[in-house]
Amino acid sequence: MSDQRQQNLTRLREDAAFDVVVIGGGVNGIGVYRELALQGLRVLLVERNDFASGCSAAPSRMIHGGLRYLENGEFDLVRESLRERDALLRNAPHMVRPLPTVIPITSVFSGVLNAAASFVGWQGKPSSRGAVPIKLGLTLYDWVTRKRRILPKHHFNSANRTRSDWPELTTKATRSAVYFDAQITHPERLCVEMIRDMQAAAPACVALNYAEMTRDGETYSVTDRRSGKNLPVEPKVIVNATGAWLDDTVQAFGDGANEKMVSGTKGSHLIIDNPTLVQALGGHMVYFENTDGRVCIVFPYQGKVLAGSTDIRVDKAARVRCEPEEFDYILGSLRLVFPGVEIKADQVVFSYSGIRPLPRSDQDYTGRISRGHYTRRLGGKIPQFCMIGGKWTTFRAFGEQTGDEVLAELGTTRRASTLGLAIGGGVQFPDDPITLLNRLVDEFHVTQDRAQHLIGHYGSQADDVALFCQSFLDTPLIVDCPYTVAEIIWLMHTEFVETLSDIVLRRTALAITGQVSEELLDRLGRIFVEERQLSPQEITDQKETLIHELSEFFGVSAATLTARNKERSTECV
């Protein structure tokens, strides 16, 4: 057990009274925890597994305004999303960066009538989008941000320019449009950074992963799932931020809401190691339509390619994986847009899937289900505010909205806004990151690649990590690995790490970028044994759990982990 966890459990044991308990440590739960903690309330955040380990770990890794939402007539959602996108570009520039996006255009007027019908409320399946509706949509997109523009306006390209810039793009694209949104490199890490910020700004608040809130009559308690111990809790208000599991949580607490409030859809993505495809993208995301009208995406991501996604209705919340038919669907979509690029199934180094916790809807076409958000208050001796819907980009706005409702319930007022509040390594992040890079190289005598790695993960806090690593005889975990032994120890000391899975799947990019191997797991296991005094059986159990997770939910089999050892040995010869 980490020292951080022991300290949090001690604070909980010494004082069980909280103004608010937030159940669910995904991005929405963490967002409202942050909002309320900054207003001077004592808040407890309880997450059953690791922080940001559910749907919040499975987004498209885009921070975007929702161009497609214009088809649904959701102008307020687009306006809010664009405001929040721009806020994240300012508040977390170490992880949220501009993403130029190209739309291949294959017709002129297709979709005009469909778009017009959508504006007046028709909610059927969209038709193919031609140049005219795309132009209208992008013009509206630019118009919304006209007074506070921080990204370039859209532009259209001729056939010749399109062919010159993206020679591998399908020849059906007679022209193209380019606009800007944003991407996030490490969404799980940004969640942890917000919790760390509150650890400093609101030390009376407590955030616990691997803990579960239960109710027995009018008594509430928290179970530490690492030790099995129960601790009483006395909340004034509860916020249910359990996402796709919201209805299950309501039923478990017996608060009387019988109707279903959340309607989940499943989205799967692939990470592909294909240098030819990386080059074909030319630094852009391609935003395109599959044959079924579903919008798909593909863009460069940490030296690989991220491609997605599916949108499949699910009846019950559960942990999900990318199924073979989804795998084929995504690869098939890429072959439509880049027909000359050979993309093999064995180039997929990682796959992931999550359930979008959307508001309940009877829509036949899942793309028409709103990505908006709202809260519902359930009565009782301890009122419960349910956070329904939402998406990654708008977590701050959703947290602010929910926070204001909770503040009103408690009869208090807001002290501070978070719209312009930097997050973690975004605090005092320089306008020109080269200055930070040069300082790391000069002061800590690291290579430029190492400095870039530290900046990309920790932003302005890279100095703290570099200083900690300097106190060790620091070496890479394994040959050619960008993460070092001391860096992993720093993460274990500061970022609420309890298991090997936390490190491999969420605090680092070791799994998602295809670096994880049998050799690397053995090295990490030795670090855990030394730092946490684990027994051989305990670390064996953690490794087996992680290997099962990788195989069952992320498309990385035990055989693949072994094969990567051999590949690395061959490359080093």
Side-chain angles (χ1 to χ4, degrees):
M1 182 183 298
S2 68
D3 291 341
Q4 284 179 303
R5 186 176 193 81
Q6 291 175 354
Q7 292 165 6
N8 279 334
L9 290 171
T10 297
R11 290 209 297 272
L12 182 56
R13 192 178 297 110
E14 291 176 347
D15 186 356
F18 290 88
D19 296 305
V20 185
V21 173
V22 179
I23 307 173
V27 68
N28 285 332
I30 292 170
V32 74
Y33 170 74
R34 175 180 182 241
E35 288 287 332
L36 293 170
L38 289 170
Q39 312 316 316
L41 300 183
R42 187 166 191 250
V43 190
L44 170 65
L45 174 67
V46 179
E47 165 55 42
R48 191 175 191 276
N49 298 300
D50 188 26
F51 299 125
S53 60
C55 182
S56 296
S60 294
R61 283 166 164 73
M62 293 169 58
I63 300 296
H64 64 107
L67 179 63
R68 184 174 56 80
Y69 308 153
L70 291 172
E71 288 184 339
N72 298 347
E74 296 182 282
F75 300 108
D76 287 343
L77 177 58
V78 172
R79 184 181 298 108
E80 178 184 69
S81 299
L82 287 170
R83 182 193 68 203
E84 297 301 315
R85 178 202 69 184
D86 291 352
L88 279 167
L89 282 165
R90 292 189 300 268
N91 296 335
H94 57 311
M95 293 190 195
V96 180
R97 303 184 182 101
L99 179 62
T101 301
V102 59
I103 306 175
I105 299 173
T106 59
S107 64
V108 177
F109 295 105
S110 177
V112 171
L113 294 178
N114 185 282
S118 296
F119 290 157
V120 296
W122 182 75
Q123 294 287 291
K125 179 179 175 181
S127 64
S128 177
R129 302 144 180 101
V132 172
I134 289 171
K135 180 67 177 179
L136 289 172
L138 291 176
T139 300
L140 281 170
Y141 216 57
D142 287 340
W143 184 81
V144 170
T145 57
R146 67 195 182 282
K147 294 181 180 179
R148 49 176 174 77
R149 184 175 311 284
I150 63 175
L151 293 177
K153 295 171 69 173
H154 81 275
H155 65 269
F156 271 59
N157 294 317
S158 66
N160 288 339
R161 177 67 184 271
T162 299
R163 188 63 41 218
S164 173
D165 288 353
W166 298 279
E168 298 292 347
L169 198 64
T170 173
T171 55
K172 294 180 181 179
T174 56
R175 56 182 64 81
S176 62
V178 173
Y179 73 100
F180 281 75
D181 260 324
Q183 66 165 306
I184 181 168
T185 50
H186 307 286
E188 307 92 339
R189 289 198 48 75
L190 195 67
C191 288
V192 171
E193 285 196 351
M194 286 190 282
I195 297 173
R196 291 188 68 219
D197 286 349
M198 293 309 97
Q199 191 177 32
C205 296
V206 177
L208 275 177
N209 53 1
Y210 298 103
E212 192 166 9
M213 180 91 160
T214 56
R215 176 181 179 180
D216 184 7
E218 297 301 321
T219 302
Y220 294 86
S221 62
V222 168
T223 301
D224 173 16
R225 298 185 68 214
R226 302 287 291 157
S227 68
K229 294 180 179 179
N230 290 312
L231 298 171
V233 175
E234 301 168 10
K236 295 177 183 177
V237 173
I238 292 172
V239 174
N240 182 346
T242 53
W245 285 263
L246 182 140
D247 293 316
D248 294 343
T249 303
V250 168
Q251 293 303 314
F253 276 71
D255 285 318
N258 294 318
E259 75 275 21
K260 196 172 182 180
M261 291 182 277
V262 171
S263 176
T265 71
K266 176 189 176 189
S268 294
H269 301 79
L270 306 179
I271 305 295
I272 305 167
D273 185 3
N274 186 315
T276 303
L277 184 55
V278 172
Q279 184 176 6
L281 290 166
H284 288 63
M285 179 172 82
V286 179
Y287 180 94
F288 64 100
E289 298 171 22
N290 206 340
T291 53
D292 59 357
R294 165 77 186 158
V295 170
C296 295
I297 59 167
V298 54
F299 62 91
Y301 178 76
Q302 297 197 60
K304 306 295 190 295
V305 170
L306 187 154
S309 69
T310 56
D311 195 18
I312 302 168
R313 191 183 292 275
V314 294
D315 296 324
K316 184 172 176 59
R319 194 169 185 186
V320 291
R321 64 183 179 186
C322 180
E323 299 294 346
E325 59 270 23
E326 296 176 275
F327 188 99
D328 293 342
Y329 174 91
I330 296 171
L331 289 187
S333 74
L334 296 179
R335 293 172 183 133
L336 287 175
V337 73
F338 288 112
V341 177
E342 185 179 17
I343 305 170
K344 301 177 182 178
D346 62 6
Q347 292 175 327
V348 176
V349 298
F350 191 81
S351 62
Y352 65 92
S353 188
I355 298 177
R356 305 176 183 94
L358 308 179
R360 187 188 65 80
S361 171
D362 295 325
Q363 278 290 337
D364 293 330
Y365 183 68
T366 55
R368 292 295 193 192
I369 302 175
S370 175
R371 269 54 174 174
H373 54 77
Y374 65 95
T375 60
R376 177 171 176 185
R377 182 189 184 279
L378 302 180
K381 185 176 180 180
I382 308 295
Q384 180 183 160
F385 289 83
C386 298
M387 299 181 73
I388 301 163
K391 65 192 189 84
W392 233 103
T393 303
T394 57
F395 78 85
R396 193 213 62 85
F398 197 6
E400 180 180 67
Q401 172 194 336
T402 307
D404 285 342
E405 294 179 22
V406 170
L407 290 171
E409 179 76 28
L410 294 172
T412 188
T413 56
R414 174 173 289 275
R415 293 182 180 180
S417 170
T418 55
L419 182 61
L421 185 63
I423 299 171
V427 176
Q428 296 181 341
F429 191 77
D431 292 335
D432 183 3
I434 293 296
T435 61
L436 177 56
L437 184 144
N438 290 337
R439 191 175 77 247
L440 289 170
V441 170
D442 293 340
E443 292 186 13
F444 298 100
H445 309 293
V446 298
T447 66
Q448 288 201 354
D449 285 347
R450 174 66 174 159
Q452 192 62 61
H453 165 87
L454 292 172
I455 294 168
H457 283 67
Y458 313 105
S460 59
Q461 297 173 351
D463 294 80
D464 298 336
V465 184
L467 182 62
F468 181 89
C469 292
Q470 199 176 48
S471 65
F472 286 74
L473 183 60
D474 198 23
T475 57
L477 285 173
I478 57 176
V479 175
D480 293 331
C481 180
Y483 297 92
T484 71
V485 173
E487 184 179 353
I488 298 301
I489 295 171
W490 187 87
L491 291 169
M492 294 175 69
H493 286 186
T494 62
E495 295 200 351
F496 314 99
V497 170
E498 294 298 319
T499 71
L500 273 175
S501 294
D502 300 342
I503 285 286
V504 172
L505 291 170
R506 289 172 289 278
R507 305 303 187 277
T508 71
L510 288 168
I512 198 169
T513 55
Q515 298 176 64
V516 63
S517 65
E518 189 177 60
E519 179 188 7
L520 189 141
L521 291 185
D522 288 342
R523 185 70 186 98
L524 287 171
R526 291 195 296 274
I527 295 171
F528 266 71
V529 167
E530 294 166 5
E531 287 297 310
R532 297 282 168 83
Q533 289 78 54
L534 300 182
S535 69
Q537 187 59 54
E538 286 174 319
I539 196 60
T540 296
D541 290 346
Q542 286 201 24
K543 285 170 63 176
E544 288 179 352
T545 296
L546 174 54
I547 291 170
H548 172 76
E549 278 189 280
L550 288 168
S551 178
E552 186 70 14
F553 300 108
F554 301 105
V556 183
S557 67
T560 298
L561 295 174
T562 302
R564 286 177 181 171
N565 286 356
K566 296 177 181 177
E567 290 170 9
R568 186 172 289 107
S569 297
T570 302
E571 291 169 359
C572 292
V573 171

